[in-house]
Amino acid sequence: QVQLVESGGGLVQAGGSLRLSCAASGSTGSINRMGWLRQAPGKQRELVAAITNGGSRNYADSVKGRFAISRDNAKNTATLQMNNLKPEDTAVYYCAGDRSLWGGWDYWGQGTQVTVSS
């Protein structure tokens, strides 16, 4: 059993920055991939960024160069640094964990709201 808890969401002006954190507890050794996904009203949930145990990273094209995902395996935390935020980044952001390196997401946090004002 794994629990993921996000923090760091809030309201920020366009061009600003936020750092989202995800704290994992429970059977954290089962997590091979962690990621951040987001869902805006009326839109499909999309993968924002993901990172494997080996440090391989993937980003959505829309956030490439602006967002950075990191993971501290020893501390069981994952972070999403978001810079140069845009109004279209407004969404609920979810931390997620995958037992594999490529499959569906097995563990989910409760989500944290990020709102970017113009």
Side-chain angles (χ1 to χ4, degrees):
Q1 188 175 7
V2 172
Q3 295 82 43
L4 303 175
V5 179
E6 303 99 332
S7 62
L11 191 152
V12 65
Q13 291 184 331
S17 299
L18 284 174
R19 187 190 300 268
L20 304 183
S21 296
C22 177
S25 61
S27 301
T28 57
S30 66
I31 301 176
N32 288 314
R33 183 176 68 140
M34 296 192 70
W36 289 93
L37 299 89
R38 68 186 182 187
Q39 186 167 26
K43 295 183 178 180
Q44 296 290 108
R45 185 173 296 180
E46 65 171 341
L47 177 65
V48 177
I51 183 169
T52 68
N53 286 345
S56 297
R57 294 169 169 84
N58 296 105
Y59 296 97
D61 288 341
S62 60
V63 307
K64 203 169 297 182
R66 299 188 297 118
F67 291 10
I69 187 171
S70 61
R71 179 180 181 179
D72 188 330
N73 293 330
K75 296 182 178 180
N76 297 317
T77 59
T79 299
L80 184 68
Q81 177 66 46
M82 305 184 294
N83 298 321
N84 192 24
L85 283 160
K86 303 176 180 180
E88 51 263 44
D89 295 319
T90 296
V92 176
Y93 285 71
Y94 298 89
C95 178
D98 182 6
R99 291 192 296 265
S100 70
L101 300 177
W102 62 87
W105 300 101
D106 302 298
Y107 314 112
W108 292 87
Q110 82 285 355
T112 185
Q113 177 71 47
V114 172
T115 302
V116 184
S117 62
S118 60

